[in-house]
Amino acid sequence: MSMLAAGCVSQQLEETVGRIDVMEAELNTSPPPPPKPGKTLGPEALLETAEKRGRDFLQARISRARAVLELDETKSGRYPRISAEARSVSTYTGHGDDSAETVSNIVLGVNWDVSRALLRLDQNEVKIAGELIPVQYQIAQRNATRGLIDVYDEYTALDFKRHDVSLEKQALQCDVDGTEVEVALGNASESELDALNEQIDAAEREVLAVSRALNSKRNELLGLVGLSEGGYDVSAGRSPQEALSAYSSVGVDDADVCFDRSGQKRLENLLVEAAGAQLDRAKQSRLTKLTTSIPSFMTQTGGFNLQFLVSYVLPLVDQGDALRITQTARLALLETILTARDNRRSFMSTFDDLQVSLASAESDLAAARTARAKAESTVQNAGPTDRCTANVDLLKAQHAVKRAEYKIEVLRGKLRLLCAPLSEKTIDTAGLAANAK
């Protein structure tokens, strides 16, 4: 039965082959056509495309497939390996030109690490690996989503800057119009007017520079989601939360609660358990090595010959090997614990930074709304000479409110992504079923 099982393909392996086929097909498929004129790509459409074609998302899927292949290889190592070898042996006899006798034979062999198959010393490691793979994959997906939001935020920041420079240019134009009147009245000099015109020219150059940077950032964003440059318009300033509907909205103010609910806690525990299981196996297997070999010879002259060999090796001479194996595993466990602690501290710091930034953004929004209300009142009471400047100030105040509202949405989206629990499937059930057999 073990020999028959060794030649079968596991369900895990079949599923992984299918996933690799899908990834290859997606990479070879042309990007979807650009949207119709007037329509733009927002965060939801960008994330939907990135999950299929995006670089970071594909890398997460590749890592998952590689991990499953390595796990399947570990499991298949418990079964015997059947080999066939064709041999041709020539013997010199020393009689004339036909002095070489050639005998051909076929060697059929079965190699089997019996200790691994019967003792199952790696059983706990395999079980933990089956639980770890889907957790790592979901964490990688979240990191890819977070990276996409970051680049979209950078793109929006450049778009806000472009608007800021344009509004400054409008304000300068108001000053130019007022100064021209003052020059005509003899209340201002021509040099003052020339200086203002130079400022407008500088603002125009800045607008062009920011626009070029905005186009470059858009191309970077399109490349990140797997789309070609050009032809795709991306709308800036939209809430990233519209793309995060798949993640549960968990409103928490405590970093410990956030950490416990997120996949990071589960990941930390599994990594420590995996290192501990590796140490346990090292302790148990350092003195055990049992192998089986069943070579079968079929020759032209000798017929069929079956041999059964079992060897048990107990390393009595060099006990340093056993000690080194165990201590290496102990060091791996210590390093894993240290890394887990660092990751936890980093997680807590990220959570606190987001909370502080969110509180600051809410204060900025309140101040921006107050400034907008004042600007609206100023416009209503402004005279003819001040109306241009008052209108520009109102546009600036409205723009500041929009910027603050967008920043709050981004921070809330990042907190949502950070604290959202894993999906229900956190265990590789196919792997556990195969391991239980």
Side-chain angles (χ1 to χ4, degrees):
M1 292 298 297
S2 295
M3 287 184 177
L4 292 176
C8 297
V9 177
S10 67
Q11 179 184 352
Q12 265 189 322
L13 186 55
E14 289 180 345
E15 292 176 354
T16 302
V17 171
R19 289 169 179 164
I20 295 174
D21 291 340
V22 171
M23 286 189 287
E24 185 178 12
E26 289 173 346
L27 279 175
N28 293 330
T29 302
S30 300
K36 296 179 181 180
K39 292 187 176 181
T40 58
L41 298 175
E44 186 175 9
L46 290 171
L47 181 59
E48 182 181 355
T49 304
E51 288 176 343
K52 297 177 181 178
R53 306 175 53 87
R55 178 195 64 204
D56 295 339
F57 288 89
L58 279 173
Q59 187 59 55
R61 293 159 68 185
I62 290 172
S63 298
R64 176 184 60 176
R66 180 177 290 110
V68 173
L69 291 178
E70 292 174 354
L71 179 59
D72 188 77
E73 181 181 6
T74 300
K75 295 176 184 176
S76 65
R78 297 170 175 171
Y79 299 113
R81 286 289 181 265
I82 303 174
S83 61
E85 181 180 356
R87 295 177 179 176
S88 180
V89 180
S90 297
T91 305
Y92 179 72
T93 60
H95 301 293
D97 295 335
D98 299 329
S99 59
E101 270 186 12
T102 300
V103 177
S104 299
N105 59 24
I106 298 176
V107 179
L108 301 176
V110 178
N111 299 316
W112 194 6
D113 188 341
V114 181
S115 64
R116 187 174 181 184
L118 299 182
L119 301 179
R120 295 289 182 96
L121 299 180
D122 61 351
Q123 184 172 5
N124 198 27
E125 284 184 276
V126 171
K127 173 182 177 297
I128 295 172
E131 299 176 5
L132 186 59
I133 290 174
V135 172
Q136 287 179 318
Y137 174 59
Q138 291 184 62
I139 296 296
Q141 279 187 312
R142 292 187 184 185
N143 291 336
T145 302
R146 188 176 297 109
L148 178 61
I149 292 176
D150 288 340
V151 177
Y152 179 79
D153 189 33
E154 294 171 1
Y155 172 76
T156 297
L158 285 171
D159 186 68
F160 279 136
K161 183 175 179 59
R162 180 168 60 89
H163 282 290
D164 288 339
V165 177
S166 297
L167 290 174
E168 288 297 332
K169 179 184 173 185
Q170 292 182 40
L172 288 170
Q173 188 62 53
C174 291
D175 292 341
V176 167
D177 295 340
T179 303
E180 286 178 346
V181 174
E182 295 298 323
V183 169
L185 296 174
N187 297 328
S189 64
E190 288 288 345
S191 59
E192 186 177 352
L193 181 62
D194 292 340
L196 286 172
N197 284 323
E198 288 180 3
Q199 283 186 272
I200 289 181
D201 293 339
E204 180 65 31
R205 290 193 296 270
E206 187 176 1
V207 169
L208 294 176
V210 174
S211 297
R212 286 193 294 267
L214 184 65
N215 290 333
S216 298
K217 185 60 67 173
R218 181 193 61 190
N219 290 334
E220 179 185 345
L221 182 59
L222 293 174
L224 188 64
V225 303
L227 297 176
S228 56
E229 298 179 2
Y232 300 91
D233 292 327
V234 179
S235 59
R238 290 171 57 176
S239 172
Q241 291 206 74
E242 66 184 48
L244 301 178
S245 58
Y247 296 94
S248 302
S249 181
V250 182
V252 294
D253 296 326
D254 188 275
D256 290 320
V257 175
C258 179
F259 185 76
D260 290 341
R261 291 184 179 182
S262 72
Q264 295 291 340
K265 175 66 174 178
R266 180 69 175 151
L267 178 63
E268 173 188 299
N269 291 339
L270 286 173
L271 289 175
V272 174
E273 289 176 16
Q278 185 180 13
L279 176 58
D280 291 339
R281 181 172 63 85
K283 291 178 179 179
Q284 297 175 48
S285 63
R286 67 185 188 275
L287 298 178
T288 305
K289 185 178 181 183
L290 183 64
T291 60
T292 299
S293 179
I294 311 176
S296 303
F297 302 92
M298 183 181 298
T299 67
Q300 294 173 335
T301 58
F304 184 76
N305 182 21
L306 175 65
Q307 297 179 359
F308 183 76
L309 304 175
V310 177
S311 62
Y312 179 76
V313 178
L314 186 63
L316 296 176
V317 178
D318 189 1
Q319 289 298 309
D321 285 344
L323 188 59
R324 281 189 291 270
I325 292 173
T326 305
Q327 300 311 308
T328 299
R330 288 182 65 193
L331 290 175
L333 176 59
L334 294 176
E335 288 178 342
T336 303
I337 294 174
L338 287 176
T339 301
R341 290 176 179 175
D342 288 341
N343 289 340
R344 180 182 178 87
R345 282 190 287 266
S346 177
F347 183 95
M348 299 300 180
S349 177
T350 300
F351 179 87
D352 291 337
D353 289 343
L354 288 174
Q355 290 284 17
V356 171
S357 298
L358 181 58
S360 176
E362 290 172 344
S363 297
D364 292 342
L365 177 59
R369 287 173 174 171
T370 301
R372 182 182 62 183
K374 291 181 179 179
E376 291 172 349
S377 177
T378 302
V379 168
Q380 294 175 358
N381 300 322
T385 57
D386 299 328
R387 186 170 300 277
C388 179
T389 301
N391 286 330
V392 173
D393 289 340
L394 177 60
L395 291 175
K396 288 181 178 180
Q398 292 172 341
H399 188 60
V401 171
K402 184 178 179 181
R403 184 200 299 269
E405 290 175 341
Y406 167 79
K407 185 176 181 180
I408 289 174
E409 287 297 300
V410 171
L411 293 171
R412 286 177 177 171
K414 290 183 177 181
L415 276 171
R416 180 178 184 175
L417 196 61
L418 187 69
C419 300
L422 294 176
S423 66
E424 293 298 324
K425 186 181 178 183
T426 57
I427 296 178
D428 191 342
T429 53
L432 290 180
N435 182 54
K437 294 180 179 179

